[in-house]
Structure formats: C-alpha cells, structure tokens
Amino acid sequence: MLKIENEMKQEHHKDSDLSQYAKLYQKELLEQIIPFWEKNSIDTDFGGYFTCLDRQGNVYDTDKFIWLQGRQVWTFSMLYNQVEKKQEWLDTALHGADFLLKNGRDAQGNWYFSLNQKGQPLIEPYNIFSDCFAAMAFGELYKATNNPEHKEVAISTYNNIIARQNNPKGKWNKAHKDTRDLKNFSLPMILCNLSLLLEEVIGREVVDQMVPPLIEDIMTNFLNKEHSVIMENIFPDGQLCDSFEGRQINPGHGNESMWFLMDLAVRYNSPKLIKQCEEILIRTTEFGWDKEYGGIYYFLDIKGHPMQELQWNQKLWWVHIETMISFAKAYKLTGNEKSKEWFLKLHNYTWNHFRDEEYQGEWFGYLTREGKPLIEAKGGKWKGCFHVPRGLYQLWKTLE
C-alpha cells in the first residue's frame, strides 16, 4: 500500500460516519442499475447495446454511439474484474466488444462516432472521445480475458489518441486555423484517468512519461488562479480568452477531474496535490451551486456574462455524481469537514432528484433548474451505462 494511504489511515478515522452510505450505493448499483442495463440494453439480433431507453427501459431509438458502446464494455469488464467473476458480466462485455471489433473503426483504425443498429457507419470518426472510451474498454476487457487481441486494440487506440491529441478533430475541425486557437480541457482530463487505467497494458513507464506533464498543464494553465476553477478552453499559453468559449466553466468537468488527480496524487505520494485538488473542488462547487434551487449548474461564464448554451442552467446527472466522488475521496484523504458537508449536501440533492422512485433502475439524466425531470428517458445519445454505475462503485469502495 502506498505511503500516503497508510498515513491517511493512521491520522484520522473520521470517515467512519459516512460508511453507512457504502451499503446504500452497493445495493443501488447491484440491485437496480446493473439489472436495468442487463435486462433492456442487449441487442441480441445485431450485437452491441441499445442506449436510447425510455423511463421503463423500452428502446426508443436503435442508433449506436461508439463512446457509449465502449463505456458499457468497460463497465461490465470492471465489474467482472473488481466486484465478482460473474460469467454473465463478462459475456455482456464481450457481446459489446465483438460488435465494436466488427464494426467500430474505419480503415485507418479511427473509431466512428455512431452506427446504425446493424453496425453500418452513420457519423465519421470526427471525435477522439470515441477512441478514448474504446481504449478504456479494451484495456479493462484484456484484464479479464488475457486475450492479446484486446490488448493490441487498447494499445493501438491509445497510440492513435496520442498521435491526434494536438488536433483531435483532424479534417473535421471547423475552427479557422490561427485566428483563435484554443486548447480544450476534456482531452488532458481524460488522458489523466485513461493512462492510469491502462497502466497494465501500456506499461508504467508510459504512464509516468504522460501523466506529470498533464497534471502540470491542468494546474498551471487550465486553472484560473483568481477564482480557483478550471477553465474549459484556454489559449495555448494558458491565458484567458475573453470570448464565449474562453470564459466558459463546466463545473462538472472541473470537479470530475479532481478525483482523477487525487488518485494520481495518491500514486505519486503528493499530499500537496491532494490539498490543491480539494481547494479547487470546494471553490468550483461554491461557484457552480444554484443558491435558489440547489444543484450544480451545467455551464457558467467566469465573468458572469450571459451564456450561449441554452441548457446552461440544467442540472445533469453526471455533474452531481462525479462531484460526489470527488468530495468522498477528498474527505477520506484529508478529513476536512467542509468536504464532508458538501458530500452530504450533494448526496441529498442527487438521491432526491435523480432517482426514479416510480420506475426504479437507472436514474434520470436531465433536470430543469428547479430540479424536475426535464427528459424522462433513462438513456440516449449521451447517457449510457457509465456515470451512474461507475459513480456508485467509486462511492461504495471509497466509503466502505
């Protein structure tokens, strides 16, 4: 066990009063969320998974989105590797992986954005995040199968991401070159987590080569020092771009990245980085919290200007779940009562607003500002079998 974890256990045991929540999350994960996807999402005719599921779990659209296919392969592989060696979980993961291997890539090895039900391409591989979640999926699956093909796909996809990282959209990039070149936060954030998850397949040396510069980039360039929040888009030199894109804050992204970085801080024995992450987490949540109705806004402007995103004041499932994970980890690592208070506040909001008491199983994804379900579907183009099950697993194990 890492030194910092030993010190943590010796210094405080304050998290014991949150351990009651571990069983709650475990039960929700294993008795509600996973059975929902097992029952409703498997396409037995053409392979892969349906993600467009209504409130009751009925399929309302059969298109298949590669990053959601990859995320579900990862989820069931992770459950098999970390929770229990249940053959049906591995079979479910392989069901999606086989569909991806058959249909998911173009001739150059880039992963498409979406396919129709039969696996024919619908949208070209314009978005590198399909590749990110495919690499994540096959890396986790390899740990379960020891199949060299799964390892090769994970490695080749990861290498493709690194090769494309400076221009992720390639020929599909709509921005005119050189006028307003901006760096987006999503890729360095995901690469921090992805590199760590793939350590078993890409090797420790690659992780140690990739990750420290990413941490430095996030904490030096993407961090707005005045407000202690993470910016979504910056000039390459780290300066603020006074534009719609440059002023944008996505509190969920900033908060999610903090638990990625805290996991890395434990790996590198860096209490200083843990404290920095906790401070950013608290400041971002304070900045993004809706003081009238509760919950965290989807987007905000650093200067308080009107938003171009019409959905800016919606409350999204993943924003709240990821923030809960970060506060649970922060409290476990520091014992800071402020992190505990925020965790409890978020637990109450999330549990009371996103869970569907009438049709249990998967949670709602999108709420109005006031906290009412905006879309009653349980899955779609952007929401699949990932944030809720991963979040419940992380919360269960963190608080256990």
Side-chain angles (χ1 to χ4, degrees):
M1 184 176 287
L2 291 171
K3 177 186 170 197
I4 197 168
E5 290 180 320
N6 279 326
E7 292 175 350
M8 176 191 79
K9 290 188 185 326
Q10 291 166 8
E11 285 175 9
H12 66 85
H13 299 276
K14 296 179 185 176
D15 53 321
S16 59
D17 56 341
L18 291 184
S19 62
Q20 59 182 305
Y21 292 95
K23 285 287 184 189
L24 188 69
Y25 298 130
Q26 179 188 16
K27 188 176 185 338
E28 187 76 2
L29 171 67
L30 300 180
E31 297 181 16
Q32 296 292 339
I33 303 301
I34 294 305
F36 176 89
W37 292 101
E38 288 177 311
K39 178 184 176 184
N40 301 307
S41 73
I42 312 300
D43 183 350
T44 55
D45 293 324
F46 295 101
Y49 315 113
F50 299 117
T51 61
C52 297
L53 304 174
D54 68 14
R55 190 177 183 187
Q56 291 86 13
N58 303 306
V59 178
Y60 66 86
D61 195 285
T62 59
D63 287 352
K64 292 168 182 172
F65 309 94
I66 293 294
W67 67 344
L68 296 185
Q69 300 292 309
R71 284 174 161 188
Q72 189 155 344
V73 171
W74 177 86
T75 297
F76 278 90
S77 300
M78 181 277 292
L79 290 171
Y80 179 84
N81 290 331
Q82 301 294 336
V83 178
E84 185 182 345
K85 296 283 190 280
K86 290 179 68 171
Q87 186 60 42
E88 52 264 46
W89 285 347
L90 182 57
D91 290 344
T92 299
L94 288 166
H95 180 82
D98 292 344
F99 178 80
L100 286 173
L101 288 172
K102 183 180 177 182
N103 305 296
R105 291 175 287 183
D106 68 9
Q108 289 72 46
N110 300 305
W111 294 86
Y112 293 111
F113 178 77
S114 64
L115 315 171
N116 67 12
Q117 183 182 1
K118 294 180 180 179
Q120 297 164 310
L122 286 175
I123 296 181
E124 296 285 1
Y126 79 94
N127 191 319
I128 202 170
F129 299 113
S130 294
D131 298 64
C132 289
F133 292 109
M136 190 170 162
F138 282 96
E140 192 68 28
L141 184 60
Y142 169 69
K143 298 174 192 176
T145 65
N146 212 29
N147 183 332
E149 183 183 16
H150 298 155
K151 181 177 183 179
E152 187 281 324
V153 172
I155 292 174
S156 62
T157 302
Y158 182 81
N159 290 338
N160 193 34
I161 295 164
I162 302 307
R164 291 177 60 187
Q165 65 178 324
N166 293 326
N167 187 16
K169 293 189 177 180
K171 64 183 180 181
W172 293 283
N173 192 342
K174 294 185 290 185
H176 190 281
K177 189 172 169 52
D178 298 330
T179 306
R180 185 186 287 162
D181 291 334
L182 296 176
K183 283 172 57 176
N184 182 266
F185 178 61
S186 299
L187 191 56
M189 164 188 147
I190 287 176
L191 280 174
C192 279
N193 181 245
L194 179 62
S195 299
L196 191 59
L197 289 174
L198 290 180
E199 182 171 3
E200 194 170 312
V201 295
I202 61 177
R204 185 181 181 94
E205 285 186 10
V206 175
V207 176
D208 289 339
Q209 181 182 2
M210 279 294 301
V211 166
L214 291 169
I215 297 173
E216 177 69 18
D217 193 26
I218 292 169
M219 292 307 210
T220 302
N221 296 319
F222 283 96
L223 177 61
N224 180 287
K225 307 297 191 299
E226 180 183 353
H227 296 281
S228 285
V229 298
I230 301 292
M231 305 304 299
E232 275 293 288
N233 301 286
I234 56 171
F235 281 126
D237 64 358
Q239 296 301 306
L240 176 74
C241 173
D242 198 350
S243 65
F244 277 124
E245 294 84 1
R247 294 189 304 267
Q248 186 190 83
I249 297 169
N250 181 333
H253 263 172
N255 286 348
E256 181 181 7
S257 70
M258 290 305 107
W259 76 258
F260 296 170
L261 293 189
M262 279 188 275
D263 282 355
L264 290 166
V266 170
R267 172 200 175 93
Y268 291 117
N269 291 317
S270 176
K272 179 184 177 185
L273 180 57
I274 290 169
K275 291 299 290 182
Q276 286 177 312
C277 290
E278 185 177 49
E279 180 188 348
I280 293 167
L281 175 62
I282 291 169
R283 292 289 294 276
T284 301
T285 308
E286 288 172 347
F287 193 91
W289 189 258
D290 182 344
K291 295 174 178 61
E292 185 173 354
Y293 294 103
I296 301 171
Y297 290 118
Y298 190 13
F299 293 113
L300 289 168
D301 187 291
I302 191 73
K303 294 187 175 182
H305 294 319
M307 299 297 302
Q308 65 171 336
E309 292 84 4
L310 301 182
Q311 72 275 30
W312 70 273
N313 64 357
Q314 289 177 19
K315 311 293 167 59
L316 270 66
W317 83 109
W318 69 266
V319 171
H320 294 76
I321 292 168
E322 299 298 338
T323 303
M324 286 171 66
I325 297 170
S326 288
F327 275 116
K329 286 181 183 275
Y331 182 60
K332 182 174 181 178
L333 289 166
T334 70
N336 185 345
E337 288 293 315
K338 201 160 192 178
S339 284
K340 177 185 173 183
E341 290 166 13
W342 269 116
F343 169 80
L344 292 171
K345 192 170 186 176
L346 279 152
H347 166 82
N348 290 332
Y349 182 89
T350 301
W351 205 257
N352 290 327
H353 289 84
F354 288 102
R355 285 183 84 247
D356 183 355
E357 292 288 348
E358 186 176 352
Y359 295 98
Q360 293 187 357
E362 182 58 58
W363 294 2
F364 295 124
Y366 305 87
L367 309 179
T368 64
R369 183 189 173 192
E370 294 77 14
K372 304 294 183 185
L374 179 67
I375 300 169
E376 290 194 339
K378 299 297 178 62
K381 182 177 180 179
W382 308 110
K383 183 177 186 290
C385 179
F386 184 66
H387 280 289
V388 176
R390 181 179 75 165
L392 292 172
Y393 172 78
Q394 284 286 337
L395 289 164
W396 161 26
K397 291 300 178 180
T398 300
L399 299 173
E400 194 172 40

